[in-house]
Amino acid sequence: MIAQVLAVVIFATMFLLIVTEKFERHIITLSCGLLTLILVFGLAMQSTSAIIETLNLHSIIKSDFWYTSGSGGESTSGINWATIIFIFGMMVMVEGMAKAGFFRWLCMRLAKLVNYKPVPLFITFMIMSFILAMFIDSITVILFLAAVTIELAKLLKFNPVPMILSEIFCANLGGSATMCGDPPNIIIGTSFEYSFADFLTNTGVIAALSMVVIIIYFYLVFGRQMAKSSSQDIDFSSIPEPKEAITNKKDFIISSIIFGFAVVLLITHAQTGLTVAFIGTAVAVATLIAAGKYAFELLKKVDFKTLLFFIGLFAVVGGLEQTGILEKIAALIGDISGGNLKLMVAIIIWLSAIASAFVDNIPFAATMIPVIRSLAATQGVDLTTLAWALSMGTDIGGSATPIGASANVVGTSVAAKNGYFIGWGEYCKSAAPATIIVVMISMIVIFIRYC
Amino acid sequence: MEKQLIISVSREYGSAGHEIAENIAKEMKLKFYDRNMLDEIAKKKNMQIEHLKKYDEKPRNIFNSRKVGSFTNSYEQIIAEMQFDYIREKANSGESFVIVGRCSETVLKGNEALVSIFILGDKEVKLKRIMDKFNLNASDAAAKMRRHDRNRKQYHNHYSDGKWGDSRLYDMCINSSRLGIDKTTAVIRHCIEEIKTSER
């Protein structure tokens, strides 16, 4: 009982401190993680096995951490090292691509392809945002897209806010389509040993269907405003040529090849047996070798604070898991739903969506994973159905408000620094209905396909 | 060439710190920066001044904004950082000026030209000044004073390691209620002249 109370208090304190931002979030999660190990496992439970299980270091040295025979290994708990190593690898690769000018080149190239016409540009950038976010973290996608959008808006004299809002939404939606698109999906995938193809054929289908509806939705909301933007009196010669974005042609080609290599490895990992931890390590090593003497410079740019944040977070969630708190929450959801799978899906998807609209979806997803695992075991329902509901709820719910997802924060921040202040009212007016539409579509598809 | 002088004035609401800072700038023929710096920032960055004024010198609202790496969508924080950059730019250009608030004593910490001052006041005197200036009754004036001081404190302490109004953070702290606006201005000016002379 004391262990449970302590675990909940530490978890609640961690969440509160993250919201106040008084300290950096990795300091908060690492401190709370350490407190979990000492107070919950050490003093209250006096369980060395709980500490070992939560630290989960033994998983790294197992061969199936790097390579699986394809039979589907057991699901893991505690610190999810596969997620951390994979995210690290992708961070290194993305830094290499950014340094070579890949993202800016891609944006400028597509803008030129549509002759810088506002409405086609608006739709093209939404699609590009969706596709890029399937493979690359949404922060990077929005960072480059928003910056280029503002640059083009200034040159072509249109309001960039509708484009930025739609790009943010599509980046979050694209992230839900694959295992590596959004951190909750990586955590869900590595926790339950799902493959890239599992996500693509389940959440990917829902995301693609939603994307069609969302393009129509944003066109109806902003299309007229974008169409009004006149392309008269514009000096097209002042627009930079796409090739100017490339800082080094050799680096550009190599980083593009590594990116292609990563995509192929991810798509085929169920067949090859290579795990995401292996893929992350492989792309990081390839990028660092290609960077040569700049490898250290590239490594310095990696956001290690986020990786530390994950480590601490998993330890705190491990506290809730080991003390049985999450099983109680699962039992509560089971009681409310009365064993009805449709009701369970509805609760999980809407609870995840609403919570993710206001709090960071990563801690939420990490907390909910043991909950749905327990729910599936005790209620005898299909775990994958609950996992897709959790994935869509956490990935899409964050789109509703300016603070719901990292891409929203970065997009609105870049806009504000350039003089375009997007208030909560303006943001939610278009994003909240879009979120509700996609969550509804997701719920209906899950009902029809799995329930 | 005259040696650079930067006077940073922090103040309690109702202490007449702003007025005193303005007087010092006039008398010493120095440029004066307060909220007016937003006009220049808005012009330079092609922004709407109303947006900047709305979030000026206000603490971050923890419930409607978030930080991701070095990015934040707290407009209070974005505008504060724009002002800090502006202050640093002015200081680096060698210009002498008087600046009110904006955490300037922390932003310019270590700058040899900096003289930092904190102006406080007796509660009754501050209240009377607020009541007269805004034509408010005592309770409304007290609420306004509390609100502004709370905002200034939160704003300051978010960006500074030191606490707002802590004497250890400033070169000089003075209670304007003792001497009134003109004499407080004169005392501060005298001290600044002494500092300038001793550093020559």
Side-chain angles (χ1 to χ4, degrees), chain A residues 100 246-257 289-292 294:
Chain A
I246 302 169
T247 54
N248 179 314
K249 207 166 180 180
K250 188 185 135 220
D251 290 350
F252 176 81
I253 293 168
I254 293 173
S255 63
S256 303
I257 291 170
I289 290 171
Y294 298 108

Side-chain angles (χ1 to χ4, degrees), chain B residues 154-194:
Chain B
Q154 284 176 359
Y155 170 89
H156 179 277
N157 294 352
H158 183 77
Y159 301 105
S160 175
D161 291 335
K163 301 273 180 230
W164 181 73
D166 183 336
S167 61
R168 287 166 293 190
L169 201 61
Y170 309 91
D171 294 321
M172 196 189 309
C173 291
I174 187 163
N175 184 337
S176 63
S177 307
R178 297 282 162 190
L179 297 168
I181 294 173
D182 292 340
K183 283 187 180 169
T184 305
T185 306
V187 168
I188 295 173
R189 264 206 67 186
H190 178 72
C191 286
I192 292 168
E193 293 294 351
E194 284 295 321

Side-chain angles (χ1 to χ4, degrees), chain A residues 236-319:
Chain A
F236 286 93
S237 64
S238 62
I239 301 171
E241 277 295 313
K243 62 181 177 194
E244 288 172 28
I246 302 169
T247 54
N248 179 314
K249 207 166 180 180
K250 188 185 135 220
D251 290 350
F252 176 81
I253 293 168
I254 293 173
S255 63
S256 303
I257 291 170
I258 294 173
F259 177 53
F261 172 65
V263 171
V264 171
L265 282 182
L266 282 168
I267 293 173
T268 58
H269 87 118
Q271 287 76 38
T272 60
L274 301 175
T275 63
V276 288
F278 180 90
I279 297 169
T281 310
V283 293
V285 170
T287 307
L288 292 173
I289 290 171
K293 60 179 180 180
Y294 298 108
F296 187 64
E297 191 188 311
L298 217 60
L299 268 181
K300 277 203 295 190
K301 285 188 179 168
V302 169
D303 185 5
F304 287 103
K305 288 178 181 175
T306 295
L307 301 176
L308 293 171
F309 161 77
F310 274 107
I311 294 173
L313 171 68
F314 288 132
V316 176
V317 174

Side-chain angles (χ1 to χ4, degrees), chain A residues 143-159:
Chain A
L143 189 56
F144 283 93
L145 264 180
V148 172
T149 301
I150 289 166
E151 189 181 345
L152 289 173
K154 281 179 181 167
L155 292 167
L156 303 172
K157 294 169 189 156
F158 65 80
N159 178 9

Side-chain angles (χ1 to χ4, degrees), chain A residues 56-314:
Chain A
N56 202 19
L57 283 164
H58 55 280
S59 67
I60 301 175
I61 50 170
K62 283 184 183 168
S63 63
D64 65 359
F65 183 81
W66 305 98
Y67 175 80
T68 57
S69 57
S71 57
E74 59 187 271
S75 56
T76 56
S77 58
I79 298 175
N80 189 332
W81 293 106
T83 294
I84 292 159
I85 293 172
F86 177 70
I87 292 176
F88 165 76
M90 295 304 270
M91 279 176 175
V92 175
M93 182 191 77
V94 165
E95 284 303 332
M97 290 168 78
K99 188 174 171 281
F102 178 88
F103 298 108
R104 198 175 138 72
W105 168 83
L106 186 64
C107 296
M108 297 309 279
R109 182 79 221 143
L110 287 175
K112 195 178 179 185
L113 269 178
V114 296
N115 294 319
Y116 306 106
K117 287 187 178 133
V119 174
L121 199 64
F122 172 62
I123 294 169
T124 308
F125 273 32
M126 268 198 273
I127 297 169
M128 177 164 58
S129 178
F130 179 88
I131 295 172
L132 278 178
M134 286 169 69
F135 302 98
I136 288 165
D137 70 285
S138 56
I139 298 175
T140 307
V141 172
I142 287 304
L143 189 56
F144 283 93
L145 264 180
V148 172
T149 301
I150 289 166
E151 189 181 345
L152 289 173
K154 281 179 181 167
L155 292 167
L156 303 172
K157 294 169 189 156
F158 65 80
N159 178 9
V161 173
M163 269 184 78
I164 293 173
L165 291 176
S166 54
E167 286 160 9
I168 292 172
F169 194 90
C170 293
N172 291 329
L173 186 55
S176 70
T178 65
M179 182 170 161
C180 61
D182 208 12
N185 285 14
I186 306 171
I187 304 171
I188 293 169
T190 50
S191 299
F192 299 141
E193 301 277 330
Y194 293 159
S195 71
F196 189 87
D198 288 334
F199 274 90
L200 205 59
T201 52
N202 291 285
T203 58
V205 171
I206 300 173
L209 180 67
S210 304
M211 183 64 187
V212 176
V213 177
I214 283 307
I215 290 175
I216 298 167
Y217 167 82
F218 275 120
Y219 180 75
L220 291 174
V221 175
F222 295 129
R224 197 176 291 172
Q225 192 185 336
M226 291 303 296
K228 268 188 201 163
S229 316
S230 164
S231 55
Q232 288 169 352
D233 309 324
I234 291 165
D235 177 14
F236 286 93
S237 64
S238 62
I239 301 171
E241 277 295 313
K243 62 181 177 194
E244 288 172 28
I246 302 169
T247 54
N248 179 314
K249 207 166 180 180
K250 188 185 135 220
D251 290 350
F252 176 81
I253 293 168
I254 293 173
S255 63
S256 303
I257 291 170
I258 294 173
F259 177 53
F261 172 65
V263 171
V264 171
L265 282 182
L266 282 168
I267 293 173
T268 58
H269 87 118
Q271 287 76 38
T272 60
L274 301 175
T275 63
V276 288
F278 180 90
I279 297 169
T281 310
V283 293
V285 170
T287 307
L288 292 173
I289 290 171
K293 60 179 180 180
Y294 298 108
F296 187 64
E297 191 188 311
L298 217 60
L299 268 181
K300 277 203 295 190
K301 285 188 179 168
V302 169
D303 185 5
F304 287 103
K305 288 178 181 175
T306 295
L307 301 176
L308 293 171
F309 161 77
F310 274 107
I311 294 173
L313 171 68
F314 288 132

Side-chain angles (χ1 to χ4, degrees), chain A residues 1-16 28-29 31-45 50 54 312-329 367:
Chain A
M1 181 67 185
I2 294 172
Q4 287 183 339
V5 172
L6 279 171
V8 170
V9 169
I10 292 171
F11 181 78
T13 309
M14 179 193 78
F15 240 114
L16 209 69
I28 298 167
T29 60
S31 308
C32 292
L34 193 65
L35 280 178
T36 302
L37 295 181
I38 298 170
L39 299 179
V40 180
F41 300 151
L43 291 177
M45 288 171 70
T54 301
L313 171 68
F314 288 132
V316 176
V317 174
L320 293 179
E321 199 179 356
Q322 295 284 344
T323 53
I325 287 286
L326 298 179
E327 278 171 19
K328 287 190 176 170
I329 295 173
T367 314

Side-chain angles (χ1 to χ4, degrees), chain A residues 21 143 402-403 412-413 422 424, chain B residues 64 66-67 71-73 75:
Chain A
E21 289 178 10
L143 189 56
I403 59 166
T412 48
S413 175
I422 307 169
W424 266 66
Chain B
N64 70 11
R66 246 183 75 191
K67 201 175 156 198
F71 293 92
T72 174
N73 60 357
Y75 297 146

